[in-house]
Amino acid sequence: MGFARACSVALVGVEGVVVEVQADLEPGVAAFTLVGLPDKSLVESRDRVRAAVVNSGAVWPQKKLTVGLSPASVPKSGSGFDLAVASAVLGAAERIDPAMIADVVMIGELGLDGRVRPVRGVLPAVLAAAEAGYEQVVVPEQTAGEAALVPGVSVLGVRSLRQLIAVLCDEPVPDEPADGQGRPDAMLAGLMIPGTGLGTGLAPAAARGDGHRPDLADVAGQLRPRQALEVAAAGGHHLLLSGPPGAGKTMLAERLSAVLPPLTRQESLEVTAVHSVAGILPPGEPLVSRAPYCAPHHSATMQSLVGGGNGIPRPGAVSLAHRGVLFLDEAPEFSGKALDALRQPLESGHVVVARAAGVVRLPARFLMVLAANPCPCGRHTLTGAGCECPPSVVRRYQARLSGPLLDRVDLRVEVEPVDRADLLGQGGRGESTEVVAARVRGARARAAERLAGTPWTTNSEVPGHELRTRLLVAPGALAAAERDLERGILTARGLDRVLRVAWTVADLRAADRPDASDVAVALELRTGIQRGVPMGAGER
């Protein structure tokens, strides 16, 4: 009887569980049994592994073979277990030394010819292996750069099962010819899910084939919305842009991700892990360093927004926009059920999706931007534009954005139509993205210094209790906000959010703490009521 074991990783959402792949050979009729809650794609690995072993020059054992995936209570899915199953079988057949693979984590799909194909979710899988104490990982050659992002782990990238056998047996490693040039690499097909390109809004909409990067200076006029965009980026505050069609709401939202600071190392790993599992991580770019941008269509279902699907839930738009921007254009056209599902992640920074196959906790700390027209025809706020929508229709249309959802939006700005002088450039170009991003980085640095030693990094994350007890504003600065609270214009949550925005405005002008004018700016950005203060975020 022969026995050997190797290790692989089962992904549940964006978290991994190390799985021990055990192979047992016994005398009897030749058969291959796979146990341990495998899904359909994993059950089919029996045929893939057998063909790959034979085509790699090894002898398939003609005995009763049982492969167990432990722990057996954890559902396993995907084709990433192929490499570990083949190694365990070869170890049980004594083609390779079982001791060489006992503590090695192997991730990869096998082709019938023995080539090792890349799979999604390599980074979170290697992170789970490192947390479990494993130090050696074998992955497909195309994803070796992604796996090498995890510190303290020795990564071996292989192109075929033949190469892995040669390395484990200390034999000359054979050369595997690369695919022909001049056509897409078929080996990379396993990393991308069809339909997750730019057209679906699951990647930065600003990316274009000609290398052009849209700039804030391209936006004509719109001084107040531009300044609200700067405040949103500096403090991580959610933003509502309302106004008629063609005023520039989408242009502003598409330029927000470029204003955000570059991701830290930890944030990059979090974002890369989510994108790797979702299948939108571009090949050749193992680490996401810029804030992501996600703009789903208004026909998106609740499951596509918050996560879900058959079997184990998959990341939705809120997770794909983690540490970046989630832009909901034509927000009133989204279903009310889908919009209200955003309430929990807006507050907690994560989403918990419960399905029959399991409960998954997915990261979802994003900056939400809503764009809305004032009525179905969009001309309700325009003088002499001929809006024929009855008042009841306008009320119903605007009520599609529920009060509890809007209460979680810190900034609400009216985007006015662009006048002729601004459109023709007679008023001069506005500040560029580079200039605004520099101010945003400075404000973020001041907030991070103030919040050092706490679990928060931006003003939007600070709880209201801390704002009212430890981070105090200037004396008398809250007088106007307290009056609005008494009149019912602000809720208790709204007062906390006004305080957060006031701290961001103070950070943008390099002040030690907010004064009455900063609070007035925050109140105007939230309520839309003119307070008689200049709207310049970085200056008085």
Side-chain angles (χ1 to χ4, degrees):
M1 182 181 72
F3 176 84
R5 63 185 179 90
C7 295
S8 192
V9 178
L11 289 177
V12 182
V14 294
E15 299 176 353
V17 179
V18 177
V19 174
E20 189 176 276
V21 181
Q22 305 169 345
D24 178 70
L25 284 174
E26 297 179 357
V29 178
F32 189 167
T33 305
L34 184 64
V35 297
L37 286 185
D39 72 340
K40 181 64 174 176
S41 61
L42 186 49
V43 169
E44 293 175 349
S45 68
R46 296 180 299 185
D47 301 313
R48 291 194 301 270
V49 169
R50 182 187 293 110
V53 169
V54 172
N55 290 328
S56 296
V59 178
W60 183 260
Q62 298 300 317
K63 295 182 179 180
K64 180 182 179 182
L65 172 61
T66 303
V67 174
L69 308 175
S70 179
S73 59
V74 177
K76 291 91 178 173
S77 61
S79 57
F81 293 86
D82 290 3
L83 198 58
V85 171
S87 300
V89 171
L90 292 174
E94 298 182 352
R95 172 63 178 88
I96 58 179
D97 185 3
M100 295 289 294
I101 60 173
D103 295 320
V104 179
V105 175
M106 301 184 181
I107 305 164
E109 175 187 334
L110 285 175
L112 300 185
D113 57 354
R115 291 185 301 171
V116 180
R117 303 180 64 93
V119 295
R120 297 184 295 272
V122 167
L123 177 60
V126 177
L127 283 170
E131 291 176 0
Y134 292 87
E135 299 178 352
Q136 294 180 314
V137 177
V138 178
V139 297
E141 186 181 55
Q142 292 86 346
T143 58
E146 183 180 343
L149 297 173
V150 182
V153 176
S154 175
V155 178
L156 173 63
V158 294
R159 188 175 293 179
S160 68
L161 182 60
R162 284 181 290 270
Q163 289 185 340
L164 179 59
I165 294 174
V167 171
L168 294 175
C169 297
D170 200 17
E171 299 172 355
V173 179
D175 261 344
E176 295 291 344
D179 286 344
Q181 301 297 321
R183 58 186 174 87
D185 189 356
M187 296 289 284
L188 299 177
L191 294 178
M192 299 291 289
I193 298 177
T196 55
L198 296 177
T200 60
L202 296 181
R208 299 179 182 176
D210 57 5
H212 173 71
R213 297 189 64 86
D215 196 288
L216 263 179
D218 301 333
V219 180
Q222 305 299 358
L223 177 61
R224 182 167 298 183
R226 286 169 56 97
Q227 293 162 341
L229 204 74
E230 182 177 343
V231 173
H237 306 288
H238 306 303
L239 174 64
L240 168 63
L241 299 172
S242 58
K249 301 186 295 293
T250 303
M251 285 185 67
L252 287 164
E254 288 181 347
R255 284 150 178 80
L256 179 56
S257 60
V259 177
L260 294 175
L263 301 177
T264 65
R265 174 75 177 186
Q266 180 61 34
E267 292 171 346
S268 294
L269 291 176
E270 294 174 6
V271 174
T272 304
V274 175
H275 287 199
S276 178
V277 170
I280 62 172
L281 190 64
E285 297 181 18
L287 186 66
V288 178
S289 59
R290 298 294 304 174
Y293 173 90
C294 184
H297 191 259
H298 59 74
S299 62
T301 62
M302 184 184 71
Q303 288 76 15
S304 67
L305 281 181
V306 300
N310 297 326
I312 297 297
R314 299 184 63 83
V318 296
S319 297
L320 300 179
H322 180 59
R323 302 295 181 183
V325 177
L326 175 66
F327 177 46
L328 302 183
D329 199 5
E330 305 293 345
E333 300 295 339
F334 283 79
S335 70
K337 187 177 180 182
L339 289 175
D340 288 338
L342 300 176
R343 297 183 195 175
Q344 179 204 0
L346 285 176
E347 287 287 334
S348 62
H350 64 267
V351 60
V352 178
V353 183
R355 295 290 184 270
V359 179
V360 174
R361 184 180 186 272
L362 300 168
R365 186 166 296 282
F366 55 89
L367 197 164
M368 182 179 69
V369 180
L370 303 174
N373 294 326
C375 67
C377 74
R379 300 191 298 270
H380 178 65
T381 57
L382 299 178
T383 303
C387 175
E388 299 179 354
C389 299
S392 59
V393 173
V394 176
R395 285 196 301 270
R396 281 197 301 269
Y397 185 81
Q398 295 178 351
R400 293 181 182 178
L401 299 178
S402 66
L405 176 65
L406 290 180
D407 199 35
R408 291 165 167 83
V409 178
D410 302 345
L411 313 174
R412 307 172 192 176
V413 181
E414 187 75 22
V415 183
E416 302 290 345
V418 183
D419 57 30
R420 180 172 58 88
D422 288 331
L423 190 61
L424 298 179
Q426 297 174 4
R429 287 169 60 89
E431 291 180 323
S432 66
T433 297
E434 184 179 356
V435 174
V436 176
R439 280 204 303 269
V440 169
R441 287 195 298 270
R444 288 273 184 124
R446 280 184 282 274
E449 182 180 357
R450 182 175 62 252
L451 299 174
T454 69
W456 317 296
T457 56
T458 59
N459 293 322
S460 62
E461 302 173 10
V462 182
H465 176 73
E466 292 289 324
L467 291 169
R468 295 188 298 270
T469 58
R470 192 170 69 89
L471 301 176
L472 301 178
V473 300
L478 287 178
E482 292 170 354
R483 286 195 299 269
D484 285 358
L485 181 64
E486 293 174 355
R487 295 170 183 169
I489 300 176
L490 284 180
T491 63
R493 179 192 287 120
L495 179 61
D496 291 342
R497 292 185 175 274
V498 165
L499 280 173
R500 294 168 183 167
V501 175
W503 273 104
T504 301
V505 175
D507 287 336
L508 283 169
R509 66 181 185 89
D512 293 334
R513 57 178 177 173
D515 57 17
S517 58
D518 295 324
V519 175
V521 170
L523 284 170
E524 183 170 338
L525 287 172
R526 181 169 180 84
T527 63
I529 301 174
Q530 297 292 332
R531 304 284 170 165
V533 293
M535 286 295 297
E539 57 184 353
R540 277 283 176 256

